[in-house]
Amino acid sequence: MINVHVLNGPNLNLLGRREPEVYGRLTLQDIERLVREKAEALGLSLTFRQSNHEGQLVDWIQEAGAQGAGVVINAGAYTHTSIALRDAISGSAAPTVEIHLSNVHAREDFRHRSLIAPVSVGVICGFGPMSYVLGLEAIHRVMVERAQQAKPSTH
């Protein structure tokens, strides 16, 4: 079974209350329900977590890599500042999809640069809670393709 870790960074525990005009009115628990429904439909094992602490996110990325799991990450503000998250993604070899609720490229200049995008397999932003579902679908496809490539040829 394919295992995916959906990791959420700082302040995402405030979803539904924090700037709803930017991030929407759904809570992180609402988003988790959507993601769990999609994971079940895809036959994925899912770990869904949130932390305001960079080191905890690093530990979870390393854990995912050690398990051979894929990662979908909304790193929040750490997207633009964390070399530690970037190094954890590249060092753990966990295939990772970076996601954001808002379109970071239509926002403040400092949000236009991601330190983790270059070590991620892709980036999805601007689709609100659907960014999570799209991210899950994307990492599922990546994990399936990698598993197929790892199978020995029967020819």
Side-chain angles (χ1 to χ4, degrees):
M1 177 175 264
I2 294 173
N3 186 14
V4 175
H5 291 222
V6 177
L7 305 178
N8 296 278
N11 299 310
L12 291 165
N13 56 307
L14 299 176
L15 287 177
R17 298 180 312 208
R18 177 184 176 219
E19 301 178 78
E21 66 282 358
V22 174
Y23 301 109
R25 299 208 178 277
L26 293 184
T27 66
L28 190 58
Q29 292 76 23
D30 296 331
I31 292 170
E32 181 177 359
R33 274 191 293 279
L34 292 172
V35 172
R36 286 198 180 279
E37 287 173 10
K38 187 61 171 182
E40 186 176 323
L42 293 171
L44 299 173
S45 170
L46 183 73
T47 301
F48 194 99
R49 296 172 165 161
Q50 187 276 327
S51 180
N52 292 320
H53 305 283
E54 183 178 31
Q56 182 65 76
L57 293 165
V58 167
D59 289 344
W60 290 339
I61 292 166
Q62 291 176 1
E63 177 185 306
Q67 294 174 0
V71 173
V72 174
I73 187 166
N74 182 346
Y78 289 143
T79 301
H80 319 290
T81 64
S82 181
I83 296 169
L85 289 182
R86 176 192 173 99
D87 288 351
I89 292 167
S90 65
S92 72
T96 300
V97 173
E98 174 188 336
I99 65 161
H100 300 282
L101 293 163
S102 67
N103 179 355
V104 294
H105 302 288
R107 297 186 60 199
E108 304 91 341
D109 286 346
F110 70 87
R111 295 187 196 275
H112 297 179
R113 181 165 181 249
S114 168
L115 296 180
I116 63 175
V119 294
S120 297
V121 295
V123 179
I124 297 169
C125 68
F127 295 97
M130 280 303 297
S131 292
Y132 281 84
V133 174
L134 294 168
L136 191 67
E137 289 174 345
I139 200 64
H140 175 251
R141 179 168 293 189
V142 167
M143 299 296 288
V144 167
E145 288 173 0
R146 288 185 181 198
Q148 289 172 343
Q149 291 172 357
K151 287 183 183 176
S153 176
T154 58
H155 299 290

